[in-house]
Amino acid sequence: MFAVALVTYAATVERTASFWDVGEFIACSYKLEVPHPPGAPFFLLVGRIFSLFAFGDVTQVAYWVNMVSVFSSAFTILFLFWTITMLGRKILDKRDDDLTAADTWQLLAAGALGALAYTFSDTFWFSAVEAEVYGMSSFFTAIVVWAAYKWERIEDEAAANRWLLLIAYLTGLSIGVHLLNLVTLPALALVYYFRKNQKATFKGAAVAFGLGFFVLGIINSGIIPGLPSVAFAVERLFVNGFGMPFASGTIFFTVVFLGALIYGIIWSARNNKVTLNVSLLALAFVLIGYASYIQVLVRSNYNPPINENNPSDVLNFVSYLKREQYGSRSLSFGPVYTARPVDQKQGEAIYRKQGDKYVVYDHKPVYVYEPGQEMLFPRVWSSQGNHPQLYQQKLGLAPGQKPTMGDNLEFFFSHQLGHMYFRYLMWNFAGRESDQEGAGYLLPWSSDEGVPDIIKNNKARDNFYMLPFILGLFGLLFQYFRRPKDFLVMGLLFLFTGVALVVFLNSPPQEPRERDYIYVGSFYFFAIWIGLGLMAFVDGFREYIKNERLRVALFSGLFLLVPVMMGVKSWDNHDRSDRYHSVDFAKNLLNSCAPNAILFVGGDNDTFPLWYAQEVEGVRTDVRVCNLSLLGTDWYIQQMKRKTYLSEALPISLEFDQFIMGKNDVIPFVEVPAVKNGINLKEYISLVKQNSPAIQVGLQAGGTTNILPSSAFFLPINKAQVAGMPFVPAELKPFVRDTIAWKIGGNDLYKPDLIMLDIIANNDFKRPVYFSTTLAQSNYLNLKDHMQLEGYAYRLMPVQVPGAEDGFVNSTVMYNNMMSKMAWRELNNPNTYYDDTYKGSPVISARIAFLRLAQQLIMEGKKDQARAVLNRALSVIPNESIPYDQISTNYIRLLIEVGELQKAQQMADVISTRADQMLTYIKRTGGGGQDANIELYNLQTIVNAFRETKNEPQAKKYDAIFQKHLNALG
């Protein structure tokens, strides 16, 4: 089973860095940097070892760090197999010497069935072939559960205690990977109780379960953030109270704590206090594993380029471990999404170093909400972005209508449990509709009849006919009736890694991506029941098939076909061996920039591949990548003010006191008549820096805050100097003025916007400033008509082109970038699997860039170049590998204009046929999340393309399809 899993994952592993967190983890493994909190130091240390197998070839580093997950996942399958066989042996209730050959083969087949079902399950396979923490986290879950059942079989108490210490050590190590493994502890406490008490009682089991929770609390709250928090309290006493230097209190606490622990271990051993000795040793081994976090403290003190939260001292380290950057969610009692704060109280003190003391510079706010807007177990809580509208849609509520407890519970059961958990469970063990965002699961009778080709041919559309799920249900019931104690343990493990996490995470109505990987532990325990399902059938048919060997052979051969089917069906949508575009996308974005550029990006998928490209492969280290999602944090702004590789420090004039956490997080817009028509940007930044009363107003709760007094800015520039700069094309020089003026809008100013404005004000166009095309419109600061498109990024220019609401294209620069400096490896390979992440921003960015460039070239009369651009676009991203989208539809008119009528006709046929199928499907079924407007837009665009280019017969052909569906859909 280990070999099958290893070969499977090694054959399908991604050869480079994929999207989301993987690029960051690979970069941080390669140079032992500090990723997003709470970090994964043990994972990084192992990743660093694996990266050495690249032997200096930086293009192979990603492959070898990905192999950490491959090996971890293969070992997970190994321990899953052993765990199933141990649980199966308990069901047979025979001594090892009494097992018949049929018993042995039955156990082996059950282990193989469960292990292979998990091997080829959708979620686990996805995590097994990329450098994410979930493969290694699953390994620790698997080995800890296996070790607990191994301990249960050992008669000698001294030898058994060593296994308890091994479990403690593995638990400590797992903290340095992911905290998922900790939720198994309460259930494993029952294994201990049942082993020690042959006559178990409900009360005793409840006490043991409670003690397991207590141990979980000690580790999760008392050790992980608790020890550093106590260390800081002592540190503060020594520094502020005794006048000692920084770090003296931390050192004192560490020495005293470890000294007391060592003394307790020695004393308990000498006095034969076995339980106390084992407990203290277990604590010691947890701490030894937890000590991998020393890597975070050490490396952060060297200020590496990736140093999230800067946990270089105990103060920042506590914040890092508590993930304070991400805020919190109410679980037991709190506000609903309609609640508005009516008051604010001072919460926990926030400290900073000042001089030779720790001083309180602010307090965490504690908001008081209007009466009646809070409830128990709040599930409909998020008021961010479009979340209130989504709650209203899902629950049928009017705007501003307060949800009831019934609405709250409906959202919990339908969305959080149903959509965000049970749907994922069924993906793995019933089948998946497609890889489109929000796709559901397939039932045995789900048919492809009438399903559009684009869904039917989706590589992720795999129907397992619920066979793994049904086997799991039989295994669950079989264990319940034969070994109720083991079922209780397994059921709790299943619930704690599934439903309990649903409750704890309290998902909002929309997530950035599918979150099935969170529940991979729950799917692991269900796979155990799948294995036991084989034993249920072997036992259940003993009256009908008397020959035991025949029964075992029959059901083993029959049921082992189920994971084989899963593997065969799932291979194409898990094979990443030819996928490179995440890194190519990053390189293309970097290569869109001129030398020594400042590049503003947003979000994980914009940033992490860029970090990988620069940190690992050394691509364009002259470009300073500036993540707007992090630019609201003081530690990240500090990093931007330092030189990194070939990039000089960013021209940020504001000092730490002006952007420390809690300061200028949001600057409210309060229009002042005297500057209504505009304020000098440089002067405004200077006033913010001086904390000037001229831009401050009083607060009801006391104190003052800076304001944005005008909705317009102007920025004086040296016209003669700027006009003479080589990056200003000759045709734009007449547009250069001595002042840039624009309306930023009457909205509040957030800290990332403030820092961007500070950079723009102080840069004076000395360095190129770029904005990624993937940013939200609000991130462009209403400066689009001052931006020149040069590829995947807009360059801020000292000129305004009237009417250029989406920027203006420099065809010379962009043609050179798109045709000479960019790569789209394997995007034209129809056998390479690309999911929605790749079909989204990366492909859309490319298709829009080609489209904008071709449009500009046609406007300039350069039809030969435009034809080359369009043919290049169709060649590197063809429909066969990445289906045409609504951006592609706009190519049709351009193809006609450059004389490629046949290609335009072919594209129109493909898109119109697809739209016809999809709209028919939507009318018949409701669409299952498909958007009819997109398909209607595609058809209308095709009609207009042919009609406006005087190809009326073709226009009528497609208009007939358009009108048919327009009338049918109302």
Side-chain angles (χ1 to χ4, degrees), residues 83-306:
T83 301
I84 294 172
T85 55
M86 277 196 289
L87 289 170
R89 232 180 298 191
K90 295 177 73 175
I91 289 175
L92 293 179
D93 198 21
K94 294 181 180 180
R95 294 171 53 86
D96 289 353
D97 294 339
D98 296 332
L99 292 174
T100 65
D103 291 334
T104 301
W105 283 109
Q106 180 182 184
L107 291 172
L108 293 174
L113 175 61
L116 288 175
Y118 195 59
T119 299
F120 300 123
S121 64
D122 182 68
T123 301
F124 186 67
W125 196 344
F126 181 91
S127 298
V129 292
E130 64 177 17
E132 252 281 21
V133 296
Y134 298 100
M136 185 177 283
S137 175
S138 294
F139 161 73
F140 276 108
T141 299
I143 193 173
V144 165
V145 172
W146 168 81
Y149 283 109
K150 193 76 173 174
W151 164 85
E152 188 185 41
R153 291 172 52 84
I154 297 173
E155 301 289 341
D156 179 63
E157 185 176 358
N161 286 343
R162 295 176 182 176
W163 282 86
L164 294 177
L165 300 183
L166 172 64
I167 291 170
Y169 176 57
L170 293 171
T171 300
L173 283 179
S174 74
I175 296 170
V177 179
H178 196 273
L179 300 182
L180 174 67
N181 187 51
L182 297 182
V183 300
T184 64
L185 295 178
L188 294 181
L190 289 175
V191 176
Y192 183 90
Y193 172 73
F194 291 143
R195 169 70 174 78
K196 293 290 186 178
N197 297 272
Q198 297 301 318
K199 295 182 179 180
T201 63
F202 176 81
K203 179 180 177 181
V207 170
F209 186 66
L211 289 174
F213 257 113
F214 179 69
V215 173
L216 171 60
I218 289 176
I219 297 175
N220 191 52
S221 301
I223 293 179
I224 298 174
L227 288 179
S229 297
V230 174
F232 176 65
V234 176
E235 165 79 359
R236 202 167 65 243
L237 173 65
F238 272 57
V239 173
N240 292 2
F242 303 154
M244 302 286 284
F246 288 124
S248 58
T250 304
I251 294 171
F252 174 81
F253 171 77
T254 303
V255 171
V256 169
F257 177 78
L258 293 179
L261 179 60
I262 293 168
Y263 175 80
I265 292 170
I266 295 172
W267 181 88
S268 59
R270 288 176 175 173
N271 290 275
N272 203 30
K273 305 291 184 181
V274 176
T275 302
L276 177 61
N277 183 256
V278 172
S279 300
L280 292 175
L281 279 171
L283 174 60
F285 275 98
V286 168
L287 292 174
I288 292 170
Y290 177 50
S292 65
Y293 266 97
I294 293 173
Q295 180 258 345
V296 173
L297 287 164
V298 171
R299 293 297 295 148
S300 182
N301 271 282
Y302 283 91
N303 284 321
I306 303 175

Side-chain angles (χ1 to χ4, degrees), residues 424-575:
Y424 295 147
L425 178 69
M426 299 302 279
W427 272 10
N428 284 273
F429 303 119
R432 186 172 176 175
E433 277 185 346
S434 70
D435 59 12
Q436 294 181 2
E437 187 79 20
Y441 55 88
L442 294 173
L443 298 171
W445 49 87
S446 297
S447 171
D448 286 346
E449 185 178 352
V451 176
D453 290 342
I454 195 169
I455 297 178
K456 184 165 48 178
N457 298 330
N458 187 291
K459 287 185 170 70
R461 186 177 176 84
D462 299 321
N463 196 339
F464 304 145
Y465 310 106
M466 289 185 73
L467 293 175
F469 183 72
I470 292 169
L471 280 170
L473 293 181
F474 274 101
L476 178 157
L477 294 172
F478 186 57
Q479 187 182 45
Y480 170 75
F481 287 111
R482 289 301 182 88
R483 300 287 302 192
K485 293 179 181 178
D486 289 335
F487 170 78
L488 177 61
V489 173
M490 205 55 51
L492 288 171
L493 288 169
F494 175 71
L495 291 174
F496 268 73
T497 52
V499 174
L501 285 180
V502 172
V503 174
F504 176 75
L505 294 171
N506 200 1
S507 297
Q510 187 178 59
E511 294 278 9
R513 58 167 167 158
E514 299 285 13
R515 297 294 196 186
D516 54 305
Y517 54 88
I518 296 171
Y519 309 109
V520 68
S522 180
F523 309 151
Y524 175 89
F525 295 111
F526 193 83
I528 291 176
W529 284 328
I530 292 176
L532 298 181
L534 184 147
M535 298 183 67
F537 275 88
V538 170
D539 182 74
F541 278 80
R542 64 182 182 275
E543 297 298 326
Y544 306 100
I545 305 174
K546 302 294 185 180
N547 188 306
E548 187 180 17
R549 292 189 177 188
L550 178 59
R551 279 203 320 276
V552 170
L554 175 63
F555 288 110
S556 299
L558 188 64
F559 291 154
L560 284 172
L561 291 175
V562 172
V564 171
M565 172 197 66
M566 294 172 67
V568 171
K569 288 194 169 193
S570 301
W571 190 281
D572 58 353
N573 59 296
H574 290 89
D575 183 3

Side-chain angles (χ1 to χ4, degrees), residues 640-658:
M640 293 295 102
K641 297 182 72 171
R642 292 196 295 265
K643 179 178 179 179
T644 302
Y645 301 122
L646 300 179
S647 171
E648 295 296 329
L650 296 190
I652 300 173
S653 66
L654 297 177
E655 300 296 340
F656 187 72
D657 284 342
Q658 283 94 52

Side-chain angles (χ1 to χ4, degrees), residues 724-798:
M725 292 179 174
F727 70 89
V728 182
E731 62 270 19
L732 292 183
K733 290 185 186 296
F735 292 95
V736 177
R737 302 286 184 267
D738 56 7
T739 300
I740 294 175
W742 80 101
K743 285 190 174 293
I744 194 168
N747 299 314
D748 298 341
L749 197 65
Y750 289 86
K751 189 180 291 182
D753 303 328
L754 175 67
I755 302 301
M756 278 197 291
L757 290 169
D758 189 7
I759 293 170
I760 292 169
N762 291 284
N763 184 53
D764 290 324
F765 293 97
K766 294 173 185 174
R767 293 178 67 174
V769 174
Y770 286 86
F771 293 73
S772 169
T773 56
T774 58
L775 291 172
Q777 283 301 318
S778 60
N779 294 137
Y780 295 108
L781 304 174
N782 275 1
L783 280 166
K784 270 286 190 75
D785 56 356
H786 289 78
M787 292 185 184
Q788 175 175 278
L789 185 61
E790 299 182 1
Y792 284 12
Y794 294 98
R795 180 172 184 163
L796 184 64
M797 300 291 285

